[in-house]
Amino acid sequence: MSSTLNIRGLSVSYGTHEALKNVNLSLQSGELLVVLGPTGAGKTTLLRTIAGLVVPDAGSVTIEGADTTHLPAKDVAMVFQNFSLYPNRSVRQNLEFPLRSPTARLTQEQIIDRVEWAAELLRIRHLLNRPSTQLSGGEMQRVAIGRAIVRRPRVFLFDEPLTNLDAKLREVLRVELIKLQKELDVSTIYVTHDQAEALSMADRIAVLADGRITQTGSPSDIYERPDTPEVARQLGYPQINLMDATQDDGFWVSATGDRFAPAQSDAKTARLGIRPENISTQGGETSGTVRVVEEIGPARILLVDIAGTHLHILTDRTENHAPGDTILTSFDSDHLLVWPNTHTIPQG
């Protein structure tokens, strides 16, 4: 698969703040790449630099082999989280706006055809003559997306476009965006802090933290084989359980001396990770006390005191537990993540 976009050694600073630090990233033809990271990680700066709105201190951006590092990217269309529609224009006029640029060199008939095509694709044909100030949030975002796709760019950039919508509408538009991207077959970078968006939408995920790419891979790679505890914490609800342990006689042992999983590593001390769905409350040997039971519809989350720490366990609704219950637990050693003790657990 060929690369549409290549980023090499990209660094951007605002005064003394380093927003991006030696970022290397590629976007394959037709790929939907999700950049996942918390607020302040550098996600928007990355998109603005690709779009030519920010000039980097170092590094390069190439689109289909052409160096666009110091140029406005003509073949890139960006969708923002705040919709950014022109309030004094109708939906049709908003969609037409980028097509009326002198550089577009389109006839009136071509402009009409593109607007009608986008409106049909996004199911907003009935809104074309409506003032943009009379749209709902979901309708406004559809128009903003339409304004991007009428340009027929080589690369789409989405800057958390669903953040300002309610949860149910986000879910609906998330599915529609996936279908739209596949139908148009346009290489796309979608940035978000929402792990549900990353897991459900991405062909590939790039985890961004403090201006650096910490890992890239498929959603299953990032979820099941995170390189660090910090990456592991980015995905999964409830959040992954992390604990320190030492190896003794073939078992991982907690600071309180409790044995809780076979050790299949040469490391003597390590930071361990276990996802809540990989701890069983059936037939184990490690005792724990249930502190909290959280209902989440099809399942329950237990907060349990085990081996001197608090762990989350995801259970089926058929299991009935209450605060104060003593349960026996076992860890699925095939899904136990082990990082030698060079890492620390971030606070918060």
Side-chain angles (χ1 to χ4, degrees), residues 246-285:
T246 57
Q247 188 175 160
D248 181 39
D249 195 25
F251 279 84
W252 290 115
V253 179
S254 71
T256 57
D258 296 283
R259 298 197 314 177
F260 52 84
Q264 300 174 350
S265 168
D266 293 332
K268 296 302 181 183
T269 62
R271 178 65 41 86
L272 305 184
I274 186 79
R275 298 217 177 262
E277 66 268 26
N278 294 322
I279 303 176
S280 173
T281 61
Q282 305 294 317
E285 297 181 355

Coordinates of all heavy atoms in Angstrom, one line a residue, residues 246-285:
T246 N 7.0 -8.6 42.3 CA 8.3 -9.3 42.2 C 8.1 -10.7 41.9 O 7.0 -11.3 42.2 CB 9.1 -9.1 43.5 OG1 8.3 -9.7 44.6 CG2 9.4 -7.7 43.8
Q247 N 9.1 -11.4 41.3 CA 8.9 -12.8 40.9 C 9.5 -13.6 42.0 O 10.6 -13.4 42.5 CB 9.6 -13.1 39.6 CG 9.3 -14.4 39.1 CD 9.9 -14.7 37.7 OE1 10.1 -15.9 37.3 NE2 10.2 -13.7 36.9
D248 N 8.8 -14.7 42.4 CA 9.2 -15.6 43.5 C 8.7 -17.0 43.2 O 7.5 -17.2 43.1 CB 8.7 -15.1 44.8 CG 9.2 -16.0 46.0 OD1 10.4 -16.4 45.9 OD2 8.4 -16.3 46.9
D249 N 9.7 -17.9 42.9 CA 9.4 -19.3 42.7 C 8.3 -19.5 41.6 O 7.4 -20.2 41.7 CB 8.9 -19.9 44.0 CG 8.9 -21.4 44.0 OD1 9.7 -22.0 43.2 OD2 8.1 -22.0 44.7
G250 N 8.5 -18.7 40.5 CA 7.7 -18.9 39.4 C 6.3 -18.2 39.4 O 5.5 -18.4 38.5
F251 N 6.1 -17.3 40.4 CA 4.9 -16.5 40.6 C 5.2 -15.1 40.7 O 6.2 -14.7 41.3 CB 4.1 -17.0 41.8 CG 3.3 -18.3 41.5 CD1 3.9 -19.5 41.6 CD2 1.9 -18.2 41.1 CE1 3.1 -20.7 41.3 CE2 1.2 -19.3 40.9 CZ 1.8 -20.6 41.0
W252 N 4.2 -14.2 40.3 CA 4.3 -12.8 40.6 C 3.7 -12.6 42.0 O 2.6 -13.1 42.3 CB 3.5 -12.0 39.6 CG 4.1 -11.9 38.2 CD1 3.7 -12.5 37.1 CD2 5.4 -11.3 37.9 NE1 4.6 -12.2 36.0 CE2 5.6 -11.5 36.5 CE3 6.4 -10.7 38.7 CZ2 6.8 -11.1 35.9 CZ3 7.5 -10.2 38.0 CH2 7.7 -10.4 36.7
V253 N 4.4 -11.8 42.8 CA 4.0 -11.6 44.2 C 3.9 -10.2 44.4 O 4.7 -9.4 44.0 CB 5.1 -12.3 45.1 CG1 4.7 -12.0 46.6 CG2 5.2 -13.8 44.8
S254 N 2.8 -9.8 45.1 CA 2.6 -8.4 45.4 C 3.4 -7.9 46.6 O 4.1 -8.7 47.3 CB 1.1 -8.1 45.8 OG 0.8 -8.7 47.0
A255 N 3.4 -6.6 46.9 CA 4.1 -6.1 48.0 C 3.7 -6.6 49.3 O 4.4 -6.6 50.3 CB 4.0 -4.5 48.0
T256 N 2.4 -7.1 49.4 CA 1.9 -7.7 50.6 C 2.2 -9.2 50.7 O 1.8 -9.9 51.7 CB 0.3 -7.5 50.7 OG1 -0.2 -8.1 49.5 CG2 0.0 -6.1 50.7
G257 N 2.9 -9.8 49.7 CA 3.3 -11.2 49.8 C 2.3 -12.1 49.1 O 2.5 -13.3 49.2
D258 N 1.2 -11.6 48.5 CA 0.2 -12.4 47.9 C 0.6 -12.9 46.5 O 1.1 -12.0 45.7 CB -1.1 -11.6 47.8 CG -1.7 -11.3 49.1 OD1 -2.3 -12.2 49.7 OD2 -1.6 -10.1 49.5
R259 N 0.5 -14.2 46.2 CA 0.8 -14.7 44.9 C -0.5 -14.6 44.1 O -1.6 -15.0 44.5 CB 1.2 -16.1 44.9 CG 2.5 -16.4 45.7 CD 3.1 -17.7 45.4 NE 2.2 -18.8 45.4 CZ 2.5 -20.1 45.1 NH1 3.7 -20.4 44.8 NH2 1.6 -21.0 45.1
F260 N -0.4 -14.0 42.8 CA -1.7 -13.8 42.1 C -1.6 -14.3 40.6 O -2.6 -14.3 40.0 CB -2.2 -12.4 42.2 CG -1.2 -11.3 41.8 CD1 -1.0 -11.0 40.5 CD2 -0.4 -10.7 42.8 CE1 0.0 -10.0 40.2 CE2 0.5 -9.7 42.5 CZ 0.7 -9.4 41.2
A261 N -0.4 -14.6 40.1 CA -0.3 -15.1 38.7 C 1.0 -15.8 38.5 O 2.0 -15.4 39.0 CB -0.5 -13.9 37.8
P262 N 1.0 -16.8 37.6 CA 2.3 -17.4 37.2 C 3.1 -16.4 36.5 O 2.6 -15.6 35.7 CB 1.8 -18.6 36.3 CG 0.4 -18.9 36.6 CD -0.2 -17.5 37.1
A263 N 4.4 -16.5 36.7 CA 5.4 -15.5 36.0 C 5.9 -16.2 34.8 O 6.5 -17.3 34.9 CB 6.5 -15.1 37.0
Q264 N 5.7 -15.6 33.7 CA 6.3 -16.1 32.4 C 7.2 -15.1 31.8 O 7.2 -14.7 30.6 CB 5.2 -16.4 31.4 CG 4.2 -17.5 32.0 CD 3.0 -17.7 31.1 OE1 2.7 -17.0 30.1 NE2 2.2 -18.7 31.4
S265 N 8.1 -14.6 32.6 CA 9.1 -13.5 32.3 C 10.4 -13.7 33.0 O 10.4 -14.3 34.1 CB 8.5 -12.2 32.5 OG 9.4 -11.1 32.4
D266 N 11.5 -13.2 32.4 CA 12.8 -13.3 33.1 C 12.9 -12.1 34.1 O 13.9 -12.1 34.9 CB 13.9 -13.2 32.1 CG 13.9 -14.5 31.2 OD1 13.5 -15.6 31.7 OD2 14.4 -14.4 30.1
A267 N 12.0 -11.1 34.0 CA 12.2 -10.0 34.9 C 12.0 -10.4 36.4 O 11.1 -11.2 36.7 CB 11.1 -8.9 34.5
K268 N 12.8 -9.8 37.2 CA 12.7 -10.1 38.7 C 11.6 -9.1 39.3 O 10.9 -9.5 40.2 CB 14.0 -9.9 39.3 CG 15.0 -10.9 38.9 CD 14.6 -12.4 39.1 CE 15.6 -13.4 38.6 NZ 15.1 -14.8 38.7
T269 N 11.6 -7.9 38.9 CA 10.6 -6.9 39.3 C 10.0 -6.3 38.1 O 10.7 -6.1 37.1 CB 11.2 -5.9 40.2 OG1 12.2 -5.1 39.5 CG2 11.8 -6.5 41.5
A270 N 8.7 -6.0 38.2 CA 8.0 -5.5 37.0 C 6.8 -4.7 37.4 O 6.3 -4.8 38.5 CB 7.7 -6.6 36.1
R271 N 6.4 -3.9 36.4 CA 5.0 -3.3 36.5 C 4.1 -4.2 35.6 O 4.4 -4.5 34.5 CB 5.1 -1.9 35.9 CG 3.8 -1.1 35.8 CD 3.2 -0.8 37.1 NE 4.1 -0.4 38.1 CZ 4.5 0.9 38.3 NH1 4.1 1.8 37.5 NH2 5.4 1.2 39.3
L272 N 3.0 -4.6 36.2 CA 2.1 -5.6 35.6 C 0.8 -4.8 35.2 O 0.4 -3.9 35.9 CB 1.8 -6.7 36.5 CG 2.9 -7.5 37.1 CD1 2.4 -8.7 37.9 CD2 3.9 -8.1 36.0
G273 N 0.2 -5.3 34.1 CA -1.1 -4.8 33.7 C -2.0 -5.9 33.4 O -1.6 -6.9 32.8
I274 N -3.2 -5.8 33.9 CA -4.3 -6.8 33.6 C -5.6 -6.0 33.3 O -6.0 -5.2 34.2 CB -4.4 -7.8 34.7 CG1 -5.4 -8.9 34.3 CG2 -4.8 -7.2 36.0 CD1 -4.8 -10.0 33.4
R275 N -6.2 -6.3 32.2 CA -7.5 -5.7 31.9 C -8.6 -6.3 32.8 O -8.6 -7.5 33.1 CB -7.8 -5.7 30.4 CG -6.7 -5.0 29.6 CD -7.3 -4.3 28.4 NE -6.3 -3.5 27.7 CZ -6.1 -2.2 27.8 NH1 -6.8 -1.5 28.7 NH2 -5.1 -1.6 27.1
P276 N -9.6 -5.5 33.1 CA -10.7 -5.9 34.0 C -11.4 -7.2 33.5 O -11.8 -8.0 34.3 CB -11.6 -4.7 34.1 CG -10.7 -3.6 33.9 CD -9.7 -4.0 32.9
E277 N -11.5 -7.4 32.2 CA -12.2 -8.5 31.7 C -11.3 -9.8 31.8 O -11.8 -10.9 31.5 CB -12.6 -8.3 30.2 CG -11.5 -8.1 29.2 CD -11.1 -6.7 29.0 OE1 -11.3 -5.9 30.0 OE2 -10.6 -6.4 27.9
N278 N -10.1 -9.7 32.1 CA -9.2 -10.8 32.2 C -8.9 -11.3 33.6 O -7.9 -12.0 33.9 CB -7.9 -10.5 31.5 CG -8.1 -10.3 30.0 OD1 -8.8 -11.0 29.4 ND2 -7.3 -9.3 29.4
I279 N -9.7 -10.8 34.6 CA -9.7 -11.3 35.9 C -11.0 -12.0 36.2 O -12.1 -11.5 36.0 CB -9.5 -10.2 37.0 CG1 -8.3 -9.4 36.7 CG2 -9.4 -10.8 38.4 CD1 -8.1 -8.2 37.6
S280 N -10.9 -13.3 36.6 CA -12.1 -14.1 36.9 C -12.4 -14.1 38.3 O -11.6 -14.1 39.2 CB -11.9 -15.5 36.4 OG -12.9 -16.4 36.7
T281 N -13.7 -14.2 38.6 CA -14.2 -14.4 40.0 C -14.7 -15.8 40.2 O -15.4 -16.0 41.2 CB -15.3 -13.4 40.3 OG1 -16.4 -13.6 39.4 CG2 -14.9 -11.9 40.1
Q282 N -14.3 -16.7 39.3 CA -14.8 -18.1 39.4 C -13.6 -19.0 39.6 O -12.7 -19.1 38.7 CB -15.5 -18.4 38.1 CG -16.7 -17.5 37.8 CD -17.8 -17.6 38.8 OE1 -18.2 -18.7 39.2 NE2 -18.4 -16.5 39.1
G283 N -13.5 -19.6 40.7 CA -12.6 -20.7 41.0 C -11.1 -20.3 41.1 O -10.2 -21.1 40.9
G284 N -10.9 -19.1 41.6 CA -9.5 -18.6 41.8 C -9.0 -18.9 43.2 O -9.7 -19.6 44.0
E285 N -7.8 -18.5 43.4 CA -7.1 -18.8 44.7 C -6.8 -17.5 45.5 O -6.5 -17.6 46.7 CB -5.8 -19.6 44.5 CG -6.1 -21.0 43.9 CD -4.8 -21.7 43.7 OE1 -3.7 -21.1 44.0 OE2 -4.8 -22.9 43.3

